[in-house]
Amino acid sequence: MGSLTVDLNALGDVTEKFKDLIERSNIILNDFNSQKNCIDFDIAERDNIRYDLNEVSKKLKSISEIFITYDRQINDAIDTYADTEEKLKSFILELNTSDRKESTNNNAKPADVTVGKVKVRDSKVTDGVTTGYLVDIIEGLGGTAEWDGKTRTTTVKLNGKTIVYDLKNMKDGVGHASDGTTFTVKDGHIHVGVREVSEKSGANIKWSPNSKGGVTVDINYTYASVSKVTPITKDNGDYGELWVGDDIVILEQEGNRSHIRYPGKYHQETAWVDNDKLNIGVRVEKPTYKDIEFSDLDKVMLPYANGKVLPLTDEQKQAIMKIKNTYHNNDYIKKHKNDTQIYLFEGTTINKKAIYGNTKHTSLYEDRYGALLVIVKDDKIAYITPEASTLPDNPKGPKSMNGGTDMPTVVDGIYLYEDVIHSTKSIKYPALKIKSTDGKNNVKVARYNNKADKWYNGISTGIHFHMGHRGADCKEKEIDGSSNWANSAGCQIVRPGTINREWTRYNEIAKIIGFDKDGHVKRGEKPDDAKGIIVIDRSFMDLNENGYKEVIGEKGIDYIKKGVH
């Protein structure tokens, strides 16, 4: 390749300040050409590899255009040039980083490496050292890696430790992290030694060959669990909670205390905890409730808010198979087979002893959520949760509980849904609006009039699908009002958290359905576009369970199941 030059004298008679800049530019250009000549020599030794430096030429030639454009704004021009200078230096650094050592690695061989349950991309074995993407290795070990483009650093958080990989301090294509780990950069990704990083993580590492000629790195941590919601203080000093369903990892022990890692709301957290609060060596059973085939219902393990992880009951399996055997044969649903479908089966709760509607209850864990929610996408079960509801908090509640009108309960049937902003007295957030199949907002409901003491048919234009409360055992409420109720006046609801974190379940559902595509529902934000079908089915409600007969009555249940009298 020929040397690149730029005639900066064309900038004209600007000011004396530019003389110094021109000299600095020539020095940089000479350094660049020298570096490029070295690279050309290395590239010539490899077969079928070429590097296109046209973009660099464009950047250098555009310097003149930048100064001409800003000839009346000298200070701005100086800033622009200085920025270009830094970019050029950065580009030279990238060339050194990604290429100078590459020509010596002709003996590198592809490898198949898995750390924990994560497949490590671009893994290779060079001179007996196995390397791969840092981000994959860290994920497999249970940590996080975040890139900062401004500082050109990657910060790794793993088992209570923070390690920084600074690309600015690399020399001859090799860098050393703050903990001494050696790394290189190729194609914009940090590569590290699998064994070096794994062994520094503090876990017990077991290497074993796999059938593809690579290795599998098994992570052998000591696990623990808790028997109840346990308040703790995180390493950063903030308040935290351990939940019954948390998969807790013991990183180290000191006296009668353990340094643990546990799943936080958005990422892994660490804390010191007294050993007598932990069930050391007892690991929770992992839930399985997403991406399930209809033929694999025996593999489903549902997480409940009280921390239990349980298989589907026979009744729940029957409800799910009704989707496949009955609803998928419905002509209307056939026409919308490509839409995401939501199914709500009331009466499939496992908590048969609780009394629905008892206002003296201090916890929602047993009595409020009695519906199984199933999301079907592409003819596959995308999501299942056992804690949803199709019934109001108080089906016979006075008008004052519903803005001056008799309480509505949606009648069984097939409906449409679309994205909407759900509003309470204090907050707004993305949710779904339920509509009739003709596209109108007139949803069939059964209402109860307290004064006349009777049920009657009606319509409602304000039925939503939104989140309910988590329960009184939680430190904070999801929505305004008492946490002893699910906060429903006729809407379809789902308990927002899973077995551990607030809003986690609602975020997962919002992402799958599509009304919040990033899966992080925020107060006040607008929903993303979403449309589909929602089915409400109460055929599994038993009058003799959950106090349905006492609270709703036989006639009321007949109304909400059939809707016509």
Side-chain angles (χ1 to χ4, degrees):
M1 298 180 183
S3 299
L4 298 175
T5 60
V6 176
D7 184 9
L8 297 179
N9 293 326
L11 297 174
D13 185 15
V14 186
T15 65
E16 289 297 325
K17 292 184 180 180
F18 286 99
K19 292 181 180 180
D20 180 57
L21 294 177
I22 293 171
E23 292 177 2
R24 288 162 61 192
S25 177
N26 288 332
I27 293 173
I28 295 171
L29 289 172
N30 290 334
D31 182 42
F32 171 76
N33 287 325
S34 175
Q35 297 284 357
K36 183 170 69 59
N37 288 335
C38 293
I39 295 169
D40 287 345
F41 179 78
D42 289 338
I43 292 175
E45 295 180 348
R46 297 183 293 179
D47 295 333
N48 302 319
I49 299 178
R50 296 292 184 270
Y51 286 91
D52 186 357
L53 296 177
N54 289 337
E55 291 299 317
V56 180
S57 299
K58 292 178 182 178
K59 291 180 181 179
L60 294 174
K61 291 178 181 178
S62 67
I63 295 175
S64 297
E65 298 175 0
I66 293 172
F67 284 132
I68 292 172
T69 302
Y70 293 95
D71 59 344
R72 294 182 180 180
Q73 302 178 28
I74 295 175
N75 290 332
D76 289 345
I78 293 173
D79 292 339
T80 303
Y81 186 85
D83 181 63
T84 305
E85 180 183 30
E86 289 300 318
K87 289 181 179 179
L88 180 58
K89 289 181 179 180
S90 176
F91 186 80
I92 293 173
L93 175 63
E94 290 182 5
L95 289 176
N96 287 335
T97 299
S98 61
D99 298 325
R100 291 298 297 271
K101 291 296 179 179
E102 182 69 14
S103 61
T104 63
N105 291 334
N106 293 329
N107 59 341
K109 297 180 180 179
D112 184 82
V113 178
T114 300
V115 175
K117 295 183 179 180
V118 178
K119 176 94 168 173
V120 179
R121 292 169 290 175
D122 200 26
S123 52
K124 296 179 180 179
V125 177
T126 306
D127 297 328
V129 177
T130 304
T131 60
Y133 282 8
L134 169 70
V135 63
D136 294 338
I137 298 171
I138 294 301
E139 182 184 351
L141 292 169
T144 60
E146 295 185 2
W147 165 253
D148 187 333
K150 293 182 179 179
T151 62
R152 293 182 58 74
T153 59
T154 290
T155 301
V156 169
K157 293 185 178 180
L158 178 63
N159 297 342
K161 301 177 182 177
T162 300
I163 306 106
V164 178
Y165 291 74
D166 192 341
L167 272 64
K168 300 189 300 296
N169 296 331
M170 298 179 69
K171 185 177 181 181
D172 293 331
V174 178
H176 296 280
S178 59
D179 67 344
T181 300
T182 301
F183 69 91
T184 59
V185 177
K186 179 183 176 185
D187 298 330
H189 294 279
I190 296 178
H191 288 239
V192 293
V194 178
R195 182 181 289 276
E196 182 179 11
V197 174
S198 299
E199 291 180 348
K200 286 182 177 180
S201 70
N204 297 320
I205 305 300
K206 179 183 178 182
W207 286 67
S208 56
N210 58 37
S211 58
K212 297 181 180 180
V215 296
T216 298
V217 182
D218 294 318
I219 314 301
N220 186 21
Y221 288 113
T222 298
Y223 291 90
S225 59
V226 292
S227 301
K228 60 181 181 180
V229 177
T230 304
I232 58 172
T233 301
K234 302 177 187 177
D235 282 346
N236 63 7
D238 291 344
Y239 174 88
E241 291 176 343
L242 297 178
W243 283 65
V244 178
D246 283 347
D247 207 5
I248 302 168
V249 172
I250 295 180
L251 305 175
E252 58 181 316
Q253 291 184 307
E254 186 177 287
N256 63 347
R257 305 186 73 208
S258 293
H259 193 214
I260 66 166
R261 184 184 75 209
Y262 69 96
K265 183 176 179 180
Y266 302 118
H267 53 77
Q268 296 288 321
E269 303 277 9
T270 54
W272 282 94
V273 182
D274 292 339
N275 290 339
D276 58 6
K277 296 180 180 179
L278 301 172
N279 301 319
I280 298 176
V282 179
R283 190 176 185 181
V284 297
E285 189 157 10
K286 301 298 291 183
T288 303
Y289 56 95
K290 294 186 287 187
D291 298 325
I292 306 294
E293 299 290 347
F294 280 93
S295 58
D296 291 334
L297 297 186
D298 288 339
K299 298 179 182 179
V300 175
M301 298 294 292
L302 297 180
Y304 288 79
N306 61 3
K308 294 180 180 179
V309 180
L310 302 172
L312 290 169
T313 65
D314 289 340
E315 190 173 52
Q316 289 170 336
K317 290 179 182 178
Q318 292 172 19
I320 294 173
M321 289 311 298
K322 187 174 181 179
I323 299 173
K324 187 75 171 176
N325 300 330
T326 302
Y327 285 114
H328 280 184
N329 292 321
N330 178 277
D331 290 338
Y332 186 82
I333 292 179
K334 282 182 179 180
K335 293 179 181 179
H336 296 267
K337 64 179 181 180
N338 294 327
D339 293 340
T340 300
Q341 304 161 15
I342 305 171
Y343 293 87
L344 289 161
F345 295 98
E346 190 69 53
T348 55
T349 178
I350 63 169
N351 303 300
K352 304 297 185 181
K353 295 181 181 180
I355 300 175
Y356 168 73
N358 186 341
T359 58
K360 295 182 180 180
H361 273 278
T362 58
S363 172
L364 299 178
Y365 288 178
E366 295 181 355
D367 64 329
R368 184 56 187 90
Y369 294 94
L372 183 74
L373 181 148
V374 183
I375 301 174
V376 176
K377 199 170 186 178
D378 299 325
D379 203 30
K380 186 177 181 179
I381 300 171
Y383 197 90
I384 308 175
T385 174
E387 295 179 318
S389 177
T390 69
L391 300 171
D393 288 336
N394 193 330
K396 291 184 176 182
K399 292 182 178 182
S400 60
M401 298 182 69
N402 189 47
T405 61
D406 292 329
M407 187 68 66
T409 301
V410 180
V411 174
D412 281 21
I414 301 171
Y415 300 92
L416 297 176
Y417 68 76
E418 65 179 18
D419 56 277
V420 75
I421 295 179
H422 181 72
S423 301
T424 69
K425 293 180 180 179
S426 61
I427 66 170
K428 299 178 180 179
Y429 60 89
L432 297 174
K433 183 177 185 64
I434 299 178
K435 307 171 68 174
S436 58
T437 53
D438 60 7
K440 298 180 180 179
N441 292 331
N442 300 334
V443 176
K444 292 181 180 179
V445 297
R447 296 182 186 269
Y448 179 79
N449 184 279
N450 285 98
K451 190 173 182 179
D453 189 24
K454 70 174 185 178
W455 288 86
Y456 65 96
N457 294 318
I459 59 172
S460 177
T461 59
I463 301 297
H464 291 179
F465 171 89
H466 63 84
M467 70 173 82
H469 281 304
R470 197 166 47 156
D473 285 353
C474 303
K475 182 174 182 287
E476 298 178 357
K477 305 178 182 68
E478 265 69 27
I479 306 175
D480 61 314
S482 170
S483 62
N484 292 339
W485 291 101
N487 199 39
S488 169
C491 291
Q492 316 303 291
I493 55 172
V494 62
R495 190 193 301 277
T498 55
I499 53 178
N500 47 13
R501 305 290 159 242
E502 59 172 339
W503 291 40
T504 306
R505 176 185 284 138
Y506 194 74
N507 284 335
E508 291 179 330
I509 291 173
K511 185 175 183 179
I512 291 172
I513 295 175
F515 62 91
D516 192 86
K517 289 183 168 48
D518 66 359
H520 185 191
V521 175
K522 305 177 190 67
R523 291 177 170 88
E525 73 172 333
K526 293 182 179 179
D528 294 313
D529 293 338
K531 292 183 179 180
I533 290 176
I534 183 168
V535 177
I536 299 172
D537 186 318
R538 300 191 184 87
S539 62
F540 293 90
M541 285 178 63
D542 187 337
L543 285 176
N544 297 315
E545 295 174 348
N546 288 352
Y548 292 138
K549 185 185 295 185
E550 292 80 1
V551 177
I552 303 175
E554 293 185 43
K555 194 151 187 87
I557 291 177
D558 203 28
Y559 261 88
I560 65 177
K561 283 187 176 183
K562 299 178 181 178
V564 178
H565 297 273

